[in-house]
Amino acid sequence: MEKDLLLPYRLRTVRLGVLATWMAIAALLAMAILPERPAFALPPYLITLGVGGLGVLIVSLLPWRRLFERGIGIAVMYAWSVLDIVLITVLLGIIGPDRIEGFVLYGLTTLFFAASYPPAGQVALLLFTCASYLGMLVLTGTDLGAGPLTARLALLGITTFLTCFLWLELMREMRAHHGARADSERRSQLLASVAHAARGISFLESDRVLGAVTDSAVALGFEAVEICVYDGSAGTYRVAHHRNVPEGYANATHSARRGIVSMVLDRKAPVVLADYTEHPLSEPALRSSGFRAAIATPVWLSGRIQAILSAATKTRRRIGDDEREAFELLGTIAGRALENATLFEQEQRTVERMAELDRLKSEFLSTVSHEIRTPLTVIEGNGLTLEQHWATLDDRTKLEFIATLNSNARTLDGIITSLLDFSQLEAGKLVARPTEVEFLPLAQSVVARLVKPNPDHLVVVEVDEGLRVVADPLLLDRVIENLLSNALKYSPPGSGIAVTAAIHDGTASVSVADSGPGIPAEEVARLGERFFRGGDANARSTKGIGLGLALVREVLALHETGLEVASEVGRGSRFSFRLPLVAPAPVTSNPRSGLVDAG
């Protein structure tokens, strides 16, 4: 700090010193040519002035800025001071040690040079001046007397004392000026960082907002910054964005009861620590990294603390009020920016969902039109054939036409039933009325109803004996029917399908498993979405409108349970769900099973 402040001052001092020295040499030359000059030896006098002039010429040509910047400028100035004192001592020896006008040059030199030196240097120059003067008196054999000598030396001492005082005052003022300038620059930097953050955080993506916040916090002068997202339900937090935070800490989930995060959550206000390592709640990973001064502020979103912005340095220092206010303002800006980004992302998702629904609606209308038209065409064609050629057709052909009519009528009925079920769901009219249901008869009834039109499939029913569940029998029938219908539809002829129900962990675990082609992992998560049908729409060989599994999920939700899907491509799929038991029940472990087929 002093080096930066004193450099201009010392450069000015050198320029003034050169000018003052030339003025002194000019005055001494004038004294030599005046008619009433004192009696002294002129040649040595002029030689001494010439040496002094040569010295000041050399001094004026030196690269003082570089000398001071390299740290040797003061040493050169000390050498210059010593040379001046030596020349003044020689001049006093020439013109007479008792002449006061010569002694005054000591005082002027002390006053001029000492103003650029610290007190220790000034005292050293005073002692050298006194030693030089006393040595010159001894060499010339001059006896000034105790009084005049003491007065002269005291005058030099007083001059040095005054210059020391001036030096100390100058340093104090310079330090105060530097502090005020540094404080002003710091305030300006903080304001600029916050203003930059306000401009940079105007993104509409949460990740970019968090990245801009961390960058702005680093710009405030912190070595490490993190934004921790708080999960109130789990009582944990994780690091969403960070700069210079240990990776092991950044990649883990942490308890909200530790770290500076816990202090912010408790106080619901900013927290400032002078030494993070000394706090009992500090995170070990951050403590071992050597972070000392730390600050954290809550990031509010929709009236709740959703995140915590924290920063730290490895220097134990005081975080000032200006930094705390700027950091808190940064957290406020971040909260508002995140809120805007969140709203925008929600709107984007809504728009995307609406576009997806519009696509699904178009696909649904196309699919439904096709799926309805196909059985209607068959029904209409077979009906007209029977009407026009009834008398000429044999009984076997008539039965085949009627069977085809019934099959397509069932298909049409299933489509219409699914649509009606969903219309009831949308209207809130489909309500579950749970009661006690004996599962085996219900499952066998559904299987018998669906297997007859599909004689090429083998369906096994395995249910724990006496298993009774709490469910709406009609809706449970629809669930089993849809799952089994789905399995029959996608399983190759001759493959096996198992409908099972068993007690597991105090509930009834119901499943329908097939040996079909399986479902790709990327499609499993979407199963149950309305109108969603996996695979290539142009290569489908199965019929359907994509509402079966969606209806299953909705009905199970009415029973406060959910559908679980396990599938492996080439190995088949298992659809399962749980229902409450009627009672912990006297149920045997021997399942009743049966093979249901068209025969």
Side-chain angles (χ1 to χ4, degrees), residues 281-418:
L281 293 179
S282 61
E283 284 286 351
L286 299 180
R287 186 169 58 240
S288 61
S289 297
F291 292 112
R292 307 297 289 274
I295 183 173
T297 187
V299 177
W300 296 86
L301 189 63
S302 301
R304 294 184 299 170
I305 298 179
Q306 299 286 355
I308 293 88
L309 172 64
S310 61
T313 69
K314 293 186 178 180
T315 304
R316 184 174 183 175
R317 65 178 180 86
R318 178 181 177 273
I319 297 177
D321 293 338
D322 293 338
E323 288 179 288
R324 183 188 60 78
E325 292 174 3
F327 202 79
E328 187 174 0
L329 180 58
L330 187 60
T332 301
I333 294 173
R336 292 178 180 175
L338 277 174
E339 189 166 9
N340 292 337
T342 301
L343 291 174
F344 176 77
E345 290 171 355
Q346 290 175 350
E347 290 179 2
Q348 285 291 98
R349 286 194 294 270
T350 301
V351 170
E352 292 171 359
R353 182 58 180 164
M354 290 178 66
E356 176 67 10
L357 288 175
D358 186 64
R359 184 190 65 78
L360 290 174
K361 180 192 72 175
S362 300
E363 184 177 337
F364 164 72
L365 292 175
S366 175
T367 301
V368 168
S369 299
H370 173 75
E371 294 296 331
I372 290 178
R373 184 180 296 113
T374 299
L376 279 177
T377 300
V378 174
I379 291 171
E380 183 180 16
N382 285 8
L384 286 173
T385 300
L386 288 173
E387 180 182 5
Q388 296 172 1
H389 303 284
W390 179 267
T392 60
L393 294 174
D394 57 61
D395 291 342
R396 182 176 179 180
T397 303
K398 291 177 182 178
L399 289 174
E400 289 178 355
F401 274 99
I402 292 173
T404 303
L405 279 171
N406 290 334
S407 175
N408 283 274
R410 282 193 297 271
T411 300
L412 188 60
D413 178 69
I415 294 173
I416 295 173
T417 301
S418 294

Side-chain angles (χ1 to χ4, degrees), residues 296-563:
T297 187
V299 177
W300 296 86
L301 189 63
S302 301
R304 294 184 299 170
I305 298 179
Q306 299 286 355
I308 293 88
L309 172 64
S310 61
T313 69
K314 293 186 178 180
T315 304
R316 184 174 183 175
R317 65 178 180 86
R318 178 181 177 273
I319 297 177
D321 293 338
D322 293 338
E323 288 179 288
R324 183 188 60 78
E325 292 174 3
F327 202 79
E328 187 174 0
L329 180 58
L330 187 60
T332 301
I333 294 173
R336 292 178 180 175
L338 277 174
E339 189 166 9
N340 292 337
T342 301
L343 291 174
F344 176 77
E345 290 171 355
Q346 290 175 350
E347 290 179 2
Q348 285 291 98
R349 286 194 294 270
T350 301
V351 170
E352 292 171 359
R353 182 58 180 164
M354 290 178 66
E356 176 67 10
L357 288 175
D358 186 64
R359 184 190 65 78
L360 290 174
K361 180 192 72 175
S362 300
E363 184 177 337
F364 164 72
L365 292 175
S366 175
T367 301
V368 168
S369 299
H370 173 75
E371 294 296 331
I372 290 178
R373 184 180 296 113
T374 299
L376 279 177
T377 300
V378 174
I379 291 171
E380 183 180 16
N382 285 8
L384 286 173
T385 300
L386 288 173
E387 180 182 5
Q388 296 172 1
H389 303 284
W390 179 267
T392 60
L393 294 174
D394 57 61
D395 291 342
R396 182 176 179 180
T397 303
K398 291 177 182 178
L399 289 174
E400 289 178 355
F401 274 99
I402 292 173
T404 303
L405 279 171
N406 290 334
S407 175
N408 283 274
R410 282 193 297 271
T411 300
L412 188 60
D413 178 69
I415 294 173
I416 295 173
T417 301
S418 294
L419 294 175
L420 289 175
D421 286 342
F422 264 100
S423 67
Q424 287 184 305
L425 277 171
E426 293 293 335
K429 296 180 180 179
L430 192 62
V431 179
R433 296 179 174 83
T435 185
E436 296 183 9
V437 179
E438 188 173 353
F439 190 83
L440 180 60
L442 184 144
Q444 288 176 331
S445 172
V446 174
V447 170
R449 187 166 68 243
L450 294 182
V451 167
K452 198 163 188 177
N454 300 275
D456 294 332
H457 290 83
L458 299 176
V459 180
V460 176
V461 178
E462 294 185 350
V463 179
D464 281 352
E465 184 177 354
L467 181 66
R468 298 173 67 82
V469 298
V470 178
D472 185 311
L474 295 178
L475 294 180
L476 182 58
D477 183 283
R478 298 287 292 129
V479 169
I480 302 300
E481 179 181 347
N482 275 280
L483 292 179
L484 182 56
S485 175
N486 202 58
L488 291 168
K489 186 186 302 181
Y490 289 98
S491 297
S495 62
I497 298 173
V499 179
T500 62
I503 297 175
H504 183 71
D505 292 338
T507 61
S509 177
V510 182
S511 68
V512 177
D514 62 56
S515 304
I519 306 165
E522 61 272 14
E523 294 183 1
V524 169
R526 296 194 61 189
L527 290 178
E529 291 184 11
R530 298 182 185 186
F531 317 129
F532 173 76
R533 300 184 68 200
D536 184 358
N538 298 319
R540 291 177 188 147
S541 60
T542 58
K543 299 179 180 180
I545 57 176
L547 288 179
L549 290 180
L551 178 64
V552 168
R553 286 193 182 275
E554 296 284 354
V555 170
L556 291 178
L558 293 176
H559 287 80
E560 298 181 351
T561 186
L563 181 65

